[in-house]
Amino acid sequence: MPYGTGPLGPVPVPPCKLFKTQYEEEPDRVPKTFHRTDRVSAQLRRELGTLVHNAVREHGLPSVSVSDVEITRDMAHAKVFVTALMPERSAEAVAGLKELGYRLRMDLARAMKLRHVPELHFHYDDSVDRGEHIDNILRDLPDTLAAEKRRESDEE
């Protein structure tokens, strides 16, 4: 057992104090905050992107892409968010994916090495549509401001 020096001579050092942890050596370093669910959801997003793309071509569904996957902590369920190229046909696309959900889950089980593949729940992600709407409002804003200035100058 290694010894340290104390006021009265050599003192045994407990083994847990022999080596500093990485956080004691590098106090600025932050511990990793990635959880297994984050890594699994990223892998699910990649694999489902390919599988959904193939399913869209095979079954004639409206064009969609996987935008995000959220997985529960017990990895039993996964919310799959999809965006549609044609927002007006998004309901049809989500309904088609829900019908193909079981087959997609089986294909996913072959593609990934998981003991339990989560149950897939498809949802339409309207964040792109909302972003376009806000962008259009901001684009029209200078025209609206210019019209207001013209009205104010006409009133004077």
Side-chain angles (χ1 to χ4, degrees):
M1 178 178 268
Y3 289 93
T5 56
L8 301 174
V11 179
V13 178
C16 62
K17 295 292 183 180
L18 285 177
F19 302 104
K20 291 184 177 181
T21 65
Q22 64 182 358
Y23 306 112
E24 290 173 337
E25 291 175 2
E26 302 170 26
D28 296 335
R29 187 172 173 169
V30 179
K32 290 183 183 178
T33 58
F34 290 110
H35 300 285
R36 183 167 187 256
T37 55
D38 295 336
R39 293 190 305 269
V40 170
S41 67
Q43 182 68 25
L44 281 172
R45 184 175 47 247
R46 284 190 294 272
E47 295 292 337
L48 276 172
T50 305
L51 293 173
V52 166
H53 178 72
N54 293 338
V56 162
R57 288 195 310 186
E58 286 177 18
H59 298 281
L61 295 174
S63 182
V64 294
S65 62
V66 176
S67 61
D68 193 23
V69 175
E70 292 178 359
I71 192 166
T72 57
R73 291 178 78 193
D74 63 354
M75 293 194 214
H77 299 274
K79 281 185 183 179
V80 181
F81 293 95
V82 293
T83 57
L85 193 58
M86 297 178 284
E88 58 275 0
R89 294 186 65 194
S90 62
E92 177 187 347
V94 171
L97 288 174
K98 284 181 180 179
E99 286 179 16
L100 294 171
Y102 180 77
R103 186 174 150 241
L104 289 171
R105 187 177 178 197
M106 293 301 117
D107 292 342
L108 198 59
R110 285 187 209 101
M112 293 182 67
K113 294 182 178 175
L114 286 176
R115 182 171 293 191
H116 177 77
V117 177
E119 188 177 330
L120 304 175
H121 304 280
F122 291 95
H123 300 278
Y124 181 66
D125 184 9
D126 64 343
S127 61
V128 174
D129 300 335
R130 287 185 302 197
E132 275 184 33
H133 179 70
I134 291 170
D135 191 42
N136 290 336
I137 290 172
L138 292 175
R139 216 178 273 140
D140 294 340
L141 189 62
D143 298 335
T144 309
L145 290 175
E148 271 186 36
K149 285 183 181 178
R150 272 188 253 124
R151 266 188 268 140
E152 287 177 3
S153 64
D154 292 340
E155 290 175 4
E156 293 175 357

